[in-house]
Amino acid sequence: MTAKKFAKSVIAGAAALALLAGCSGGGDTDGKITLDVWTFGGMGLDEAFATYQEENPNIILKVTNAGGSDEQAQALTTALAGGKGPDVAAIEVGYMSQFKAQPQNFVDLRTLGSDDIESSFLDWRWSQGVAADGSVVGIPTDVGGLAMAYRTDLFEAAGLPSDRDEVSALWPTWDDFIEVGAEYRAATGKGMIDNVNSAIFNPAVRQGSEMYYGAGGDDDLIYDSNPDVQEAFGYALEAIDSDISSRTPSWSEAWNAGMNNGDFAVLAAPAWMMTYISQQAPDTSGKWDIAAVPENAGNWGGSQLAIPAKSDHPEEAFAFIEWLMSPERQLEIFQAHGNFPSTPELYDTPDIQNFTSEFFNDAPVGPIYANSVESIEPIFEGPQQRIIDTAILNSLSQVENGEEPAADAWSNALKNVKTALGG
């Protein structure tokens, strides 16, 4: 089966949610084993799925894409509560702590041989799939090392440097980044970035050693006392005050169009974002490039692949995951879609060090993202991670849209988090 034909069998979008809620695992047909696989967004795995089926004719992959990671997490929560679930579920890292807090809902992958492959992965990415009782709930997919994507043609039109090294040198700090944004606004009348949540708060808050949780683990909430969180929040407010944003919400139709028509010139770009940009703005091939993110490295995104306890075929599901996340396959997925491997043995290989992207002006994206990932200071993400994140981001959006005064934003954000946590 070709990738194109395989893609036709994938169920995608919001219509999948009702089906997800009713799923109870794959059945067997004509002696073949069907694995229900739940994904979300553009994970870039369809070609790999097709290859696996070609190499394993007795396995049928029934792939369902819930739409976004939020919808996927909601559907999985509902299914698990009803004693159902797929054979393989992709879980975005922001939700991983929420699910691994109930490890009884999943197969402990140590029973299927996960100890044999653990050494292939980044330690901190592996630990994101390990529950407090030591059981292994999920196997890492990619890692979202941070960089900045920018439009060279728009920078040149604004009188700014367009060479990637010179652009990186423009913004060693977030204050410098905001100053460049102000220059861009003065020269063009347009916002340099898409929105402050995506371009500033999300990367900045992920550059420290702690985020919303402290060293004490699940019960050690520090979102309201961690100076790194308040500092990232302050950078976002400063960017709003400096008018460097085009106020274009992420994942909206306007955002997709803006990548193509020049409504903004800079996006935060974890590796997985490269494919999204190239898909939304194919006519801008060669006009984008990749520069360093201000200040430190950080991770944004990535997923784990888990096997719910109700799977009818856990051994076959694990064999599929082991194949899909092998270094060899992760390299192929990166070269085709930009998802950077979580297997560090690849980082110094010629396949990574010599890899460039024609779409991004032949930028050496292999070494750029390898360097970014190797500089990451891992952050512990607790079970309420996504709830806290959403409440803070909503507060910033209200300021950016003129619905809330900046002076009240931080206190209101903390109130919103407490309300969201039920406090």
Side-chain angles (χ1 to χ4, degrees), residues 354-372:
N354 297 332
F355 188 74
T356 62
S357 169
E358 182 178 356
F359 184 89
F360 287 92
N361 193 29
D362 294 323
V365 295
I368 286 174
Y369 284 104
N371 292 337
S372 176

Side-chain angles (χ1 to χ4, degrees), residues 244-307:
I244 75 165
S245 170
S246 68
R247 296 175 169 80
T248 308
S250 299
W251 314 115
S252 65
E253 290 186 8
W255 193 59
N256 297 340
M259 296 179 195
N260 205 41
N261 61 25
D263 286 346
F264 45 84
V266 176
L267 288 166
W272 49 264
M273 186 68 81
M274 290 191 294
T275 291
Y276 191 86
I277 296 172
S278 64
Q279 290 174 339
Q280 299 303 323
D283 294 339
T284 62
S285 179
K287 296 180 179 179
W288 289 88
D289 208 320
I290 301 291
V293 67
E295 302 197 5
N296 307 313
N299 180 69
W300 181 10
S303 305
Q304 310 286 131
L305 298 177
I307 302 175

Side-chain angles (χ1 to χ4, degrees), residues 126-213:
W126 184 267
S127 67
Q128 289 179 318
V130 179
D133 65 358
S135 60
V136 176
V137 173
I139 303 298
T141 60
D142 58 314
V143 57
L146 287 167
M148 286 290 184
Y150 68 98
R151 284 276 297 269
T152 58
D153 57 329
L154 300 181
F155 266 45
E156 289 170 0
L160 293 168
S162 60
D163 174 80
R164 68 181 69 93
D165 292 332
E166 293 180 25
V167 172
S168 296
L170 286 175
W171 50 52
T173 69
W174 285 109
D175 285 332
D176 295 324
F177 182 82
I178 293 167
E179 287 183 14
V180 174
E183 291 180 37
Y184 186 88
R185 169 67 77 180
T188 67
K190 293 184 176 181
M192 183 180 77
I193 62 174
D194 50 348
N195 60 78
V196 298
N197 284 347
S198 176
I200 295 183
F201 182 79
N202 271 330
V205 79
R206 287 166 169 80
Q207 293 178 318
S209 59
E210 295 177 329
M211 194 170 162
Y212 303 140
Y213 288 81

Side-chain angles (χ1 to χ4, degrees), residues 1-3 6 32-37 45-63 87-88 305 307 313-326 328-329 332-333:
M1 180 183 290
T2 65
F6 175 81
K32 296 183 178 181
I33 292 174
T34 298
L35 295 179
D36 263 334
V37 180
L45 301 177
D46 289 350
E47 289 93 342
F49 291 163
T51 300
Y52 189 77
Q53 287 202 174
E54 289 174 355
E55 296 180 1
N56 298 272
N58 291 326
I59 299 292
I60 298 173
L61 298 179
K62 180 183 176 184
V63 181
D87 296 295
V88 176
L305 298 177
I307 302 175
H313 305 293
E315 290 84 6
E316 291 81 3
F318 183 75
F320 166 61
I321 293 173
E322 185 177 16
W323 177 90
L324 184 64
M325 291 298 110
S326 66
E328 176 187 14
R329 203 62 57 192
E332 291 177 358
I333 294 169

Side-chain angles (χ1 to χ4, degrees), residues 61-146:
L61 298 179
K62 180 183 176 184
V63 181
T64 306
N65 189 312
S69 60
D70 295 344
E71 289 81 3
Q72 159 80 333
Q74 178 184 353
L76 185 58
T77 299
T78 301
L80 295 176
K84 301 176 182 179
D87 296 295
V88 176
I91 301 173
E92 204 269 342
V93 292
Y95 284 105
M96 197 59 214
S97 288
Q98 172 186 323
F99 284 106
K100 71 183 185 182
Q102 296 182 312
Q104 71 278 7
N105 287 333
F106 298 92
V107 175
D108 181 355
L109 301 180
R110 293 177 301 181
T111 65
L112 298 174
S114 66
D115 289 349
D116 295 336
I117 62 173
E118 178 180 354
S119 62
S120 296
F121 295 85
L122 291 163
D123 292 343
W124 62 273
R125 279 292 283 122
W126 184 267
S127 67
Q128 289 179 318
V130 179
D133 65 358
S135 60
V136 176
V137 173
I139 303 298
T141 60
D142 58 314
V143 57
L146 287 167

